[in-house]
């Protein structure tokens, strides 16, 4: 059985980083001029040497995205089911050592959230929890999916990594997509930020997309948290992961997110800052490297960046986001995982998208499909 | 305007041989205007994009014209079982037994699965569907689809969305020559000249989406495709002269017979 762990073992962090930082303008020109692009081209496109080529990269990314996805942007909304967590993650507002009231939604609370979310127009929902297997485990997810499925045509899940068998127990309940971010591909740094709980097992997390692929998930979402380590090196490993997974699980679709760390309760100082210009470069680089991958941007980003990202290669946007369980029906701002930046509603985002000549897409899946 | 022969598929007659898709336009009203300019009478719409529970679904609202026939498609399904389920749902909600059968388990290149497509086509024909299957430019597969009763075959010209034209020309020629059902070249047609070429080869129709939807002016591009398809068809009906790489003024090998 193949696993990304074997590929990962062949790449050393510091050598990779040095390679990216020694890319030249010539490497960037070669990458831009190629008709099919390799992971070495991607290294050039995310390197500092590509910065002067940003406008050219943006134009290319825009054209490629239009050809594949048309002038459309899909909208989705997260729904937090629980903020219980038995992990310590130094950057997260749900971390076990952060003293906040904990809450897990019951049936009535889930349905109240669903009602509000449906009234906002959404049809794609992302369910989120912390990692607390005894409270929010497979049984809880099955039950929640059963309640939620009749109301949405596409359901994504962003929870703790599970075993392959567990994912197989969830797909019959209408689970379409699972997002699992590696946080950082630097194993040592990972251990510093995840000292306690099941999450401290770096390789188990790294192997999760393989387990999702084997379980036959329709879509798998990847990403590295931006702020923990050098973003260029982490992005290289994300792209390497994507490249491997596409070949290994050719029936699954993939998406990439770029979560830049935001302030939260008990949060750390960031080791690596990323400017807006660099985030734009990264978005374009992913698109030029991979024409088919979905690129998703959350409300962590500012209004102005999100407005302009529509034409850079982004295909999916969340909006209206509340990052606390029960946040839609009960508008009190508390228990949040992180503060969001763009607080505009989906209806407003739809107008912003339309004004740029793009169509906001609320439904692009059907419950008849896995 | 010169009239070309009309095209009959199952119980319907089409005056336009340009079929179109509905995805990728920047708005549904732009899609509507572009499709009207294209003159298309058969328009495919992805079941997954339509909100069947909503009578006022925005996509369907913009396709409500007497000359436009809806061709629901099964885009998103990965198996024949899912395809049959999706087709039944479409038939019930959209009140048409026409279905564009698309089974592409590979979400990257959207390559049609020949095994599942044949299986689903057979099943759907049995339960009363008019089946138009999207398939590879594989002459044997097209004959097999015809044998199980599909109303047409829709081989790809080149990978879907690629705008690369008729890269499968040699195979398309064979399919056109030996098909007893209409051949609709679907996928890969990126320019009006590609569409004209397909018609000159003798394809019965073409299906175009990306090239119209993502052009800078979808309305003008819709019209350009309309004209190209008409020109290609007129050329086909009036038989093109044989192409040759050199002038042939005499018959060097047989002229002695006339002496």
């Amino acid at each position: 059985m193949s696993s990304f762990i074997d590929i990962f073992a062949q790449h050393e962090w510091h050598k990779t980083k040095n390679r990216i930082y020694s890319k030249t303008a010539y490497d960037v020109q070669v990458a831009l001029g190629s008709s099919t692009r390799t992971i070495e081209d991607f290294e050039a496109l995310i390197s500092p040497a590509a910065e002067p080529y940003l406008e050219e990269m943006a134009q290319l990314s825009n054209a490629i995205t239009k050809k594949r996805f048309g002038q459309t942007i899909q909208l989705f909304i997260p729904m937090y089911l629980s903020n219980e967590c038995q992990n310590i993650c130094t950057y997260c507002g749900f971390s076990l050592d952060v003293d906040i009231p904990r809450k897990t939604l019951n049936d009535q609370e889930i349905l109240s959230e669903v009602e509000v979310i449906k009234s906002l127009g959404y049809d794609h929902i992302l369910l989120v929890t912390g990692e607390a297997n005894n409270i929010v485990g497979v049984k809880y997810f099955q039950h929640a999916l059963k309640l939620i499925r009749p109301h949405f045509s596409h359901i994504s899940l962003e929870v703790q990594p599970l075993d392959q068998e567990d994912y197989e127990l969830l797909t019959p309940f209408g689970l379409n997509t699972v997002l699992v971010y590696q946080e950082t591909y630097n194993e040592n740094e990972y251990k510093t930020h995840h000292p306690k709980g099941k999450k401290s097992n770096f390789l188990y997390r790294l192997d999760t997309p393989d387990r999702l692929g084997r379980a036959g998930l329709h879509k798998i979402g990847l990403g590295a948290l931006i702020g923990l380590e050098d973003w260029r090196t982490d992005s290289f490993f994300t792209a390497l992961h994507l490249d491997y997974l596409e070949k290994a699980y050719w029936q699954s679709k993939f998406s990439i997110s770029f979560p830049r760390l935001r302030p939260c309760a008990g949060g750390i100082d960031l080791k690596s800052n990323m400017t807006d210009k660099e985030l734009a470069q990264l978005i374009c680089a992913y698109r030029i490297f991979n024409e088919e991958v979905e690129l998703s941007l959350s409300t962590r980003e500012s209004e102005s960046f999100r407005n302009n990202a529509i034409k850079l290669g982004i295909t999916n946007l969340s909006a209206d986001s509340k990052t606390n369980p029960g946040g839609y029906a009960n508008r009190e701002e508390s228990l949040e995982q992180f503060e969001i930046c763009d607080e505009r509603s989906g209806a407003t985002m739809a107008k912003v998208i339309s004004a740029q000549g793009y169509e906001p897409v609320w439904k692009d899946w059907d419950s008849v499909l896995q | 305007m010169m009239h070309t022969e009309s095209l009959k598929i199952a119980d319907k007659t089409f005056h336009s041989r340009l079929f179109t898709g509905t995805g990728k336009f920047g708005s549904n009203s732009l899609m509507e205007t572009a499709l009207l300019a294209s003159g298309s009478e058969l328009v495919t719409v992805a079941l997954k994009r339509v909100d069947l529970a909503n009578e006022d679904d925005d996509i369907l609202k913009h396709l409500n014209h007497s000359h436009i026939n809806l061709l629901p498609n099964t885009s998103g399904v990965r198996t024949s079982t899912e395809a049959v389920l999706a087709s039944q749902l479409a038939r019930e909600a959209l009140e048409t037994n026409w279905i564009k059968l698309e089974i592409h388990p590979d979400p990257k290149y959207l390559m049609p699965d020949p095994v599942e497509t044949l299986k689903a086509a057979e099943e759907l024909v049995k339960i009363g569907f008019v089946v138009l299957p999207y398939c590879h430019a594989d002459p044997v597969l097209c004959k097999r689809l015809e044998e199980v009763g599909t109303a047409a075959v829709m081989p790809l010209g080149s990978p879907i969305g690629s705008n690369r034209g008729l890269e499968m020309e040699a195979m398309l020629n064979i399919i056109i020559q030996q098909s007893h059902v209409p051949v609709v070249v679907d996928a890969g047609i990126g320019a009006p000249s590609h569409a004209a070429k397909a018609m000159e080869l003798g394809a019965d129709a073409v299906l175009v989406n990306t090239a119209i939807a993502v052009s800078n002016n979808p309305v003008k591009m819709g019209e350009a495709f309309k004209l190209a398809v008409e020109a290609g068809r007129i050329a086909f009906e009036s038989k093109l002269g044989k192409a040759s790489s050199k002038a042939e003024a005499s018959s060097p090998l047989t002229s002695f017979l006339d002496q």
Side-chain angles (χ1 to χ4, degrees), chain B residues 128-144:
Chain B
F129 280 92
V130 172
V131 181
L132 287 81
Y134 166 55
C135 60
H136 282 282
D138 175 340
V140 174
L141 176 63
C142 287
K143 287 310 276 184
R144 294 288 299 267

Side-chain angles (χ1 to χ4, degrees), chain A residues 109-140:
Chain A
E109 288 165 331
I110 289 176
L111 292 172
S112 304
E113 291 289 271
V114 164
E115 199 185 324
V116 177
I117 287 174
K118 286 306 288 183
S119 75
L120 299 171
Y122 293 91
D123 202 38
H124 288 199
I125 192 167
L126 166 65
L127 307 177
V128 188
T129 69
E131 174 154 14
N133 276 302
N134 54 339
I135 302 167
V136 279
V138 173
K139 285 261 169 294
Y140 180 87

Side-chain angles (χ1 to χ4, degrees), chain A residues 14 38 41 79 102 114 138 153 184 186 194 211 219 243 245 261 306 308 335 347 360 363:
Chain A
H14 288 289
T38 63
D41 292 325
M79 170 175 162
R102 301 290 169 165
V114 164
V138 173
S153 63
T184 175
N186 182 323
H194 310 96
R211 295 196 298 278
K219 189 156 77 186
D243 207 35
L245 289 165
L261 281 171
R306 275 161 52 96
N308 288 293
L335 327 181
K363 179 179 184 294

